[in-house]
Amino acid sequence: MSATYQLASYPSLKGKRVFITGGGTGIGAAIVSALAEQGAIVAFVDIARDASEALCKQIAAAGFTAPSFRYCDLRDIGSLQNTIKELAEQLGDFDVLVNNAANDERHKLEDVTQEYWDNRIAINQRPSFFAVQAVAPGMIRKKAGSIINFSSISWHTSSGGFPVYTTAKSSVLGLTRGLARDLGAHNIRVNTVTPGWVMTERQIELWLDEKGKEDIKRNQCLQGELLPWHLARMVLFLASDESVMCTAQEFIVDAGWA
């Protein structure tokens, strides 16, 4: 992170209970770290056990409260909801939910089987709804909460090469808007964060080539790399009391690509 930036602190996040899916690497790890640095009580799930445990140790070594990590395959909804319940009993009802986990594996239309479709939806779409279902009772008891669902700029820009992924990610806006009215009656906010092409280790290793670099330079209004911490800063705002009257909205962080 450049030393030229003077970033905000959010006192309202201190002591807030936050649950994050896919918090072990990439954007999720940046969100976990940013919230822990604000004094939030953070819990997260991931299938990347080693990376997640290392992240917890790194945050603790920096002098912040170590997050609570649980291994969980989000395709197992029962396991996800039981994990949320267990952590809520341990830490207290959650104030914030961040539905971040996803997998943008490339695939071709002609290669998609029903089994593959179901597997991708089980990773990229289904867990978000059931995570909301699990945290909502606690938020209703608190009469407040913030739910942050992650989409992707890929479907906005008609990106090809992963149609099941773009289908799932476009549906996030429907989930957000479909829940905002019902949950708004309980003072619970529901919003979408939509990242552009974020330079995580995974993206750089698997997908970024010279053509990709040219696409970024041509399409982004703001030059330079879009990084995980840029997304984490938007999450901080939406998780905090600063966004008290923001709901049913999509917040795009893509350096002006779309």
Side-chain angles (χ1 to χ4, degrees), residues 21-22 74 100-105 123-124 150-151 165 169 202:
T21 64
L74 297 183
N100 161 75
N103 187 309
D104 62 346
E105 181 178 88
I123 295 169
N124 293 313
F150 265 70
S151 182
Y165 178 76
K169 284 303 174 180
R202 171 184 165 81

Side-chain angles (χ1 to χ4, degrees), residues 47-163:
I47 58 171
R49 192 187 301 275
D50 291 345
S52 298
E53 291 175 349
L55 176 63
C56 292
K57 291 177 182 177
Q58 176 186 330
I59 291 171
F64 304 104
T65 300
S68 298
F69 161 66
R70 298 289 186 276
Y71 175 89
C72 183
D73 186 332
L74 297 183
R75 292 172 295 184
D76 184 342
I77 296 301
S79 177
L80 171 62
Q81 292 196 318
N82 287 336
T83 300
I84 292 173
K85 180 181 178 181
E86 172 203 331
L87 287 165
E89 289 172 350
Q90 175 185 330
L91 303 174
D93 289 331
F94 289 106
D95 302 283
V96 180
L97 167 66
V98 184
N99 276 317
N100 161 75
N103 187 309
D104 62 346
E105 181 178 88
R106 273 44 173 182
H107 52 270
K108 296 179 180 179
L109 170 65
E110 60 270 24
D111 294 333
V112 174
T113 63
Q114 182 176 333
E115 181 181 13
Y116 184 83
W117 170 277
D118 290 344
N119 182 270
R120 293 296 95 186
I121 293 298
I123 295 169
N124 293 313
Q125 182 188 66
R126 193 173 66 187
S128 294
F129 176 88
F130 287 101
V132 173
Q133 187 184 64
V135 302
M139 291 183 176
I140 291 170
R141 282 191 290 271
K142 285 173 172 276
K143 298 182 172 59
S146 176
I147 295 167
I148 303 163
N149 299 317
F150 265 70
S151 182
S152 167
I153 205 64
S154 57
W155 69 270
H156 278 285
T157 58
S158 302
S159 297
F162 42 17

